[in-house]
């Protein structure tokens, strides 16, 4: 939460392509971004803290958004 930058912008774009995030692509890791990440984690049964963009979550989102 609260992170900013290009990597967050890329995450927002990927989540948008997956229709998990509809908010602004502004490079800010907001509550809405964390909720979208949590939805992906729950859908894929990823064993990482909900809303935290860890390595397993990163891999799942990157693969699915291709």
């Amino acid at each position: 939460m609260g992170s900013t930058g290009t990597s967050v912008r890329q995450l927002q774009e990927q989540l948008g392509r997956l229709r998990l995030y509809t908010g602004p692509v502004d490079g800010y890791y907001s509550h809405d971004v964390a909720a979208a990440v949590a939805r992906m984690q729950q859908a894929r049964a990823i064993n990482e803290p909900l809303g935290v963009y860890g390595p397993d979550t990163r891999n799942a989102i990157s693969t699915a958004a291709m």
Side-chain angles (χ1 to χ4, degrees):
M1 286 295 302
S3 294
T4 60
T6 304
S7 60
V8 177
R9 181 180 296 272
Q10 291 171 345
L11 171 61
Q12 291 169 324
E13 290 170 352
Q14 290 173 325
L15 291 169
R17 285 195 295 276
L18 296 171
R19 300 179 190 261
L20 294 170
Y21 176 73
T22 59
V25 179
D26 58 6
Y28 177 71
Y29 200 105
S30 66
H31 288 285
D32 290 340
V33 174
V37 168
R39 285 191 291 278
M40 179 65 167
Q41 291 168 320
Q42 290 172 325
R44 298 288 175 104
I46 298 169
N47 189 21
E48 291 181 336
L50 288 179
V52 176
Y53 188 55
D56 293 340
T57 303
R58 181 179 304 111
N59 184 49
I61 291 171
S62 294
T63 301
M66 292 186 138

